[in-house]
Amino acid sequence: MAQSDFPPLKNNLILKAARGEPLDHVPIWIMRQAGRYLPEFQEVRSKHKFFSVCQTPALACEVTLQPLRRFDLDASIIFSDILVIPQAMGLTVEMVPGMGPVIPKPLNDPSDLARLVQPDVEKDLKYVGEAITLTRHKLEGKVPLIGFTGAPWTLMSYMIQGGGSSTMIKARAWLYKYPQDSHKLLQLITNVIVDYLVMQVKAGAQMLQIFESHADFLNDELFINYSYKYLKEISENVRKRLTEENIPEVPMTAFPKGATMNSLEMLSKSKTYEVLGLDWTVDPMEARKRLGPDVTLQGNLDPCALYASEEEIMNRGRDMVMKFGKTRYIANLGHGISPDTPIKSVEALIKGVHSV
Ligand code: CP3
């Protein structure tokens, strides 16, 4: 599908911010903007299982558009989940209410790698591409559409741990017990991710975000060996593949949640990603100082700040823009929005950010 087949883009603020072009207004979108805090999302979820929504392009498109109908957001993100890759690689993933994702038969030791299959992304994850193409049409050029994936370490840790964990001990133990097999697994996942991201761009994704949500379990040594290595490879290979196929590159964001400032600095120096996502524990001024002027920063209001009064939220939104500065900045939360966030709080944040 050529980009020219889609309706022309009316708001390209986020793409300009990613490329470092000067802007009058700071763009904003919200991680998990399609989610349970919206009654219209709950309505869809009351009738369909989580992964059925992901796998049905008309439903994925509908919930992707829901926040855009309510809010003055500057980007959309395709509704899906990072765990569709472990599914395509042969693991069963269930979304258990109140618990989050569960993999009933996780990888216990390297002999379990034999259970994994090399997916044909164009076929096995075609439903994501179809959802993206449909959404690009239905968006009518209102805002850009972001495609995404989990990063290799984050997906590996789910595949081994079998679900969320406050320590990820089983997954981290692999890195010390089975370093070679850990690299083997990370490489397998990396290859799938590259195919998957290229497929998403072909389907119409205008920007890509890689969620390294479990960077907080890695010290600098582990980050270099088990995260950064593959994040770099993904960025390089996706761009190479797009160029080979005569498809224009799209800006890419890495969001290493909980990464140390040293790790963030390494990523920004490598210039492999146009945008770095920051979680809510990072100080905006320090990040600007340490990460330099050549990378766009995205984030990072504490999702819990949305429980403050509307006036305070507006002030915090404005203050965040002042601290990050208006160039090379994309406003967002520092992690996903919580399910019981008041709708009015989201409106207040967007208003505050856009008022600067
Ligand atoms: O609007 C959007 O941002 C796009 C949709 C999106 C979802 N998951 C939908 C979702 C995106 C970008 C993700 C990414 C994702 N999924 C990440 C990376 C971001 C992060 O949070 O660090 C991770 C780690 C996952 C895995 C995952 N999926 C978890 C841990 C959970 C449970 C969360 C919870 O609060 O229960 C999910 C479920 C999930 N993914 C929901 C949504 C809207 C809620 C589940 C539901 O509707 O029942």
Side-chain angles (χ1 to χ4, degrees):
M1 175 83 54
Q3 293 284 330
S4 55
D5 295 334
F6 292 118
L9 192 54
K10 296 170 200 151
N11 172 350
N12 63 355
L13 281 181
I14 191 172
L15 303 179
K16 282 179 143 181
R19 295 186 171 118
E21 294 172 30
L23 292 174
D24 293 331
H25 286 289
V26 165
I28 177 166
W29 68 281
I30 288 171
M31 281 189 273
R32 295 261 170 96
Q33 61 190 29
R36 289 164 294 183
Y37 72 106
L38 291 176
E40 57 271 34
F41 177 84
Q42 301 260 25
E43 168 74 22
V44 173
R45 281 285 284 116
S46 69
K47 296 190 203 121
H48 306 275
K49 288 192 172 150
F50 178 77
F51 283 112
S52 304
V53 181
C54 298
Q55 288 157 7
T56 311
L59 292 176
C61 171
E62 164 58 23
V63 295
T64 301
L65 296 177
Q66 284 176 348
L68 275 295
R69 294 190 190 115
R70 268 188 193 267
F71 308 119
D72 188 16
L73 292 160
D74 297 295
S76 55
I77 179 162
I78 193 64
F79 187 83
S80 185
D81 199 81
I82 61 167
L83 297 168
V84 299
I85 287 187
Q87 279 179 337
M89 293 177 81
L91 297 182
T92 297
V93 184
E94 289 158 5
M95 202 53 80
V96 181
M99 251 185 97
V102 172
I103 298 179
K105 288 186 196 144
L107 307 177
N108 292 317
D109 63 58
S111 70
D112 284 331
L113 294 179
R115 283 175 26 216
L116 297 178
V117 294
Q118 175 78 42
D120 175 352
V121 165
E122 299 267 347
K123 197 166 123 269
D124 301 334
L125 291 166
K126 192 174 177 206
Y127 62 87
V128 179
E130 287 176 351
I132 288 174
T133 304
L134 179 63
T135 306
R136 268 300 293 278
H137 283 291
K138 290 254 174 124
L139 270 169
E140 296 174 339
K142 195 173 176 187
V143 291
L145 178 61
I146 304 170
F148 73 91
T149 179
W153 155 248
T154 295
L155 295 181
M156 165 182 171
S157 57
Y158 272 116
M159 289 159 87
I160 293 169
Q161 197 72 35
S165 158
S166 59
T167 59
M168 285 285 158
I169 284 179
K170 192 179 166 200
R172 280 193 293 138
W174 262 59
L175 304 178
Y176 295 97
K177 244 168 121 177
Y178 316 118
Q180 279 180 343
D181 290 294
S182 293
H183 280 299
K184 197 171 149 194
L185 175 55
L186 288 164
Q187 191 63 57
L188 279 176
I189 300 170
T190 298
N191 298 345
V192 180
I193 289 173
V194 171
D195 287 349
Y196 185 48
L197 293 178
V198 170
M199 185 272 274
Q200 291 190 41
V201 175
K202 284 188 191 166
Q206 292 154 294
M207 193 162 170
L208 297 170
Q209 176 150 330
I210 292 82
F211 287 94
E212 187 70 291
S213 303
H214 293 170
D216 49 354
F217 295 106
L218 304 176
N219 60 22
D220 291 336
E221 178 201 329
L222 296 178
F223 184 81
I224 293 173
N225 288 332
Y226 295 107
S227 174
Y228 173 70
K229 179 179 191 290
Y230 298 98
L231 288 174
K232 189 161 176 283
E233 187 177 324
I234 289 166
S235 160
E236 287 170 354
N237 288 356
V238 168
R239 291 174 209 274
K240 194 163 143 248
R241 284 268 299 279
L242 291 174
T243 308
E244 279 165 9
E245 298 191 40
N246 266 321
I247 300 163
E249 275 184 28
V250 302
M252 294 176 73
T253 303
F255 176 41
K257 182 182 168 283
T260 67
M261 191 52 84
N262 286 338
S263 297
L264 289 168
E265 206 171 17
M266 188 174 8
L267 263 173
S268 80
K269 279 195 179 139
S270 75
K271 298 196 191 304
T272 39
Y273 287 85
E274 285 88 346
V275 185
L276 277 188
L278 305 175
D279 69 70
W280 53 273
T281 65
V282 177
D283 179 71
M285 313 264 255
E286 199 202 343
R288 227 0 139 199
K289 210 161 76 202
R290 294 267 312 259
L291 306 177
D294 297 333
V295 69
T296 297
L297 300 178
Q298 175 176 280
N300 76 341
L301 190 73
D302 184 344
C304 290
L306 296 182
Y307 298 113
S309 70
E310 285 165 53
E311 197 190 340
E312 184 172 343
I313 294 167
M314 270 182 62
N315 288 338
R316 283 186 183 272
R318 226 176 276 132
D319 183 57
M320 182 169 76
V321 177
M322 304 306 281
K323 284 181 174 151
F324 277 107
K326 279 172 80 170
T327 38
R328 294 223 87 142
Y329 176 53
I330 299 165
N332 204 320
L333 299 179
H335 199 199
I337 188 166
S338 305
D340 60 349
T341 303
I343 304 252
K344 288 239 178 284
S345 297
V346 178
E347 287 165 356
L349 175 63
I350 297 170
K351 212 162 144 194
V353 167
H354 280 164
S355 72
V356 188

